[in-house]
Amino acid sequence: MTKPRRKADDWWRGAVIYQVYPRSFQDTTGDGMGDLRGITKRLGHIASLGVDAIWLSPFFKSPMADMGYDVSDYCDVDPMFGTLADFDAMLAEAHRLGIKVIIDQVISHTSDQHPWFVESRSSRSNPKADWYVWADPKPDGTAPNNWLSIFGGPGWEWDGVRKQYYMHNFLTSQPDLNFHNKAVQDALLSTVRFWLDRGVDGFRLDTVNFYFHDRKLRDNPPHEPNPDETGLDAPDVNPYGMQTHRYDKTQPENVDFLKRFRALLDEYEGRMTVGEVGDGARSLKTVAEYTSGGDKLNMCYTFDLLGPDFTADHIRKCVQGFQRAVTDGWVCWAFSNHDVNRHVSRFIHAPEERERVAKLAITLLSTLRGSICLYQGEELGLTEAELAFEDLRDPYGIRFWPAFKGRDGCRTPMPWQRGEAHAGFSTAKTWLPVPEDHARLAVDTQEKIAGSVLNHYRATLAFRKEHETLHDGDMSFLHSNHDILAFTREKAGEKLLFVFNLTREKAEFVPAKSLKLGEPLPVPGFGAKLKDGTIELDALDMACVRL
């Protein structure tokens, strides 16, 4: 029986979440890398944006082969970030400021230095021998099947001690856990309880559809192009995209584990989950399955809006696809995160469009039905950093350079003070360089400019908060040409028409006569031009009208 939902438990519905990449947010120790005390120091900036929660990328103990997404201890803080006491202090300050804290749970795999794996690989008969995905080679010594790693090459690595292969969806140093073993599930859920007892408000579940694998280890079939595929799980230089990943992820057993996870969370008040789903053409079907019924995930996000398209056609297709597929679930929309090029660089056609596109993108994101996630630095309109090969730290980029430059370009340090060394992020050489064009956009510079991207973000998120219909009101698209995005949002007697021109030319939108247009509603940074029942839009412009 599903537990009755209380209003306090629904804080995540329509919430604005701000992603913090701890290594690049603020350094307080002078080692060139961010830390938990740095996050605490800068929580005032996050609060000033008007967000509801922060999502912290991993800060757990790790050898950092994949920047913390290779965990060696789920219940401790890596010394480079500080201590558990530093985490508790950060959590308390966030709660004092009215900010919820979501942490990144990376449980599909561990580091090969995790004690569980060290024991598992020591023999075929130890107590944890079946805690990871082990398989015998084919008679010719090759891997058990054709599964691939997202980070390049086979999804299997040979181990000479056990004389078997182990499965890894990412780096060879990130072995996959065997979720078919209930003891593994129990151990992982106990680590989740550790953080719940500490007071965290939710979990972002990394690669949530990767937990289980096909027991029969069947080969994946070749990829078949699908017109419904709106997001890519891997760049096109990566052979991973040449398979349909039917057997190495998104297995039916995953649903029951998500129910176990939710049952644990329901023992605590007001806790939530948001799952990352990378599943090609099946993504929306998977989101629907994982968020339905009120007994699994609270919401998911996919890669649909993390690609290069910033067009009316693409956004309409993504949102309507979600509306058709997901009837009682919830979605979290984002244009950027720590794994993709910054969206301003993806969306602009020319450098001079940077500020305009940055403002229009957050206005559009804020008017979609769903929760939204922002990535640190996007409130400054930061572009993707151009880095030299010798500066790269991301194993993904190093592996596929130069065809794919990896993820370091969106992970460079946050610029706080233009006139300070390393833009106020650190007093020492930083783990990734701070580009000069980022330093020019530092927080202290934009604070002083009324129309800056930073102040536009604050005003836009305040506008969103003022209108309850933007939290969880109904959303319906209106007929328009392919260049114009037009939709209504409606709740509790308020009905708003939003029209976006995402082209580089002036445009007009003529609403159906059945729509009774009221007064234009001023939206921060944009002004509606309503003339004789026609909405006139400049290039990269938007309008809002009461209905």
Side-chain angles (χ1 to χ4, degrees), residues 39-88:
I39 296 170
T40 305
K41 178 180 178 179
R42 297 296 186 179
L43 281 172
H45 167 75
I46 298 173
S48 77
L49 297 173
V51 305
D52 301 291
I54 57 173
W55 149 29
L56 301 182
S57 289
F59 51 85
F60 313 109
K61 250 187 183 172
S62 165
M64 299 293 164
D66 187 25
M67 306 304 147
Y69 283 86
D70 50 322
V71 179
S72 58
D73 188 341
Y74 287 106
C75 297
D76 203 358
V77 173
D78 193 272
M80 70 171 282
F81 295 122
T83 64
L84 280 169
D86 292 330
F87 177 84
D88 292 340

Side-chain angles (χ1 to χ4, degrees), residues 317-329:
K317 180 179 180 180
C318 291
V319 176
Q320 286 184 323
F322 175 82
Q323 290 173 333
R324 285 191 298 268
V326 185
T327 55
D328 66 341

Side-chain angles (χ1 to χ4, degrees), residues 341-409:
N341 285 4
R342 288 190 175 274
H343 68 261
V344 168
S345 290
R346 302 199 318 266
F347 295 165
I348 61 174
H349 292 180
E352 59 270 18
E353 291 180 353
R354 180 196 62 82
E355 186 168 320
R356 184 74 172 179
V357 167
K359 292 178 178 180
L360 187 62
I362 184 57
T363 301
L364 173 55
L365 193 68
S366 295
T367 55
L368 298 179
R369 175 176 165 82
S371 303
I372 64 174
C373 189
L374 316 178
Y375 177 55
Q376 69 179 50
E378 73 168 76
E379 74 272 25
L380 305 178
L382 297 187
T383 53
E384 184 77 357
E386 289 292 331
L387 301 176
F389 179 77
E390 54 267 27
D391 289 326
L392 295 190
R393 303 289 294 275
D394 179 17
Y396 200 2
I398 293 169
R399 170 68 175 79
F400 285 101
W401 179 277
F404 171 64
K405 297 181 180 179
R407 302 165 295 178
D408 287 326

Side-chain angles (χ1 to χ4, degrees), residues 243-261:
Q243 292 184 356
T244 294
H245 293 273
R246 184 173 298 164
Y247 297 116
D248 54 348
K249 60 185 181 182
T250 320
Q251 299 304 293
E253 297 93 335
N254 212 35
V255 171
D256 285 337
F257 174 72
L258 295 180
K259 289 180 179 179
R260 291 195 69 196
F261 200 108

Side-chain angles (χ1 to χ4, degrees), residues 132-169:
Y132 291 81
V133 184
W134 294 96
D136 291 328
K138 290 180 179 178
D140 63 359
T142 57
N145 59 30
N146 71 346
W147 296 352
L148 296 173
S149 161
I150 289 180
F151 285 173
W156 298 92
E157 180 71 4
W158 177 255
D159 180 76
V161 174
R162 288 185 53 141
K163 297 183 177 60
Q164 286 182 304
Y165 284 95
Y166 66 85
M167 178 187 172
H168 61 94
N169 272 299

Side-chain angles (χ1 to χ4, degrees), residues 259-311:
K259 289 180 179 179
R260 291 195 69 196
F261 200 108
R262 178 62 175 269
L264 172 58
L265 260 66
D266 282 349
E267 296 177 24
Y268 299 77
E269 184 174 354
R271 313 303 172 92
M272 58 77 73
T273 50
V274 52
E276 176 197 32
V277 173
D279 207 15
R282 298 178 301 181
S283 287
L284 291 178
K285 180 183 177 183
T286 303
V287 169
E289 187 175 24
Y290 288 4
T291 60
S292 65
D295 60 351
K296 295 177 281 295
L297 301 178
N298 295 107
M299 58 182 175
C300 285
Y301 73 88
T302 69
F303 299 167
D304 295 65
L305 298 184
L306 299 179
D309 295 318
F310 188 55
T311 64

Side-chain angles (χ1 to χ4, degrees), residues 177-190:
L177 285 158
N178 178 20
F179 274 74
H180 291 290
N181 185 333
K182 189 172 179 293
V184 171
Q185 296 184 30
D186 293 343
L188 290 168
L189 291 175
S190 71

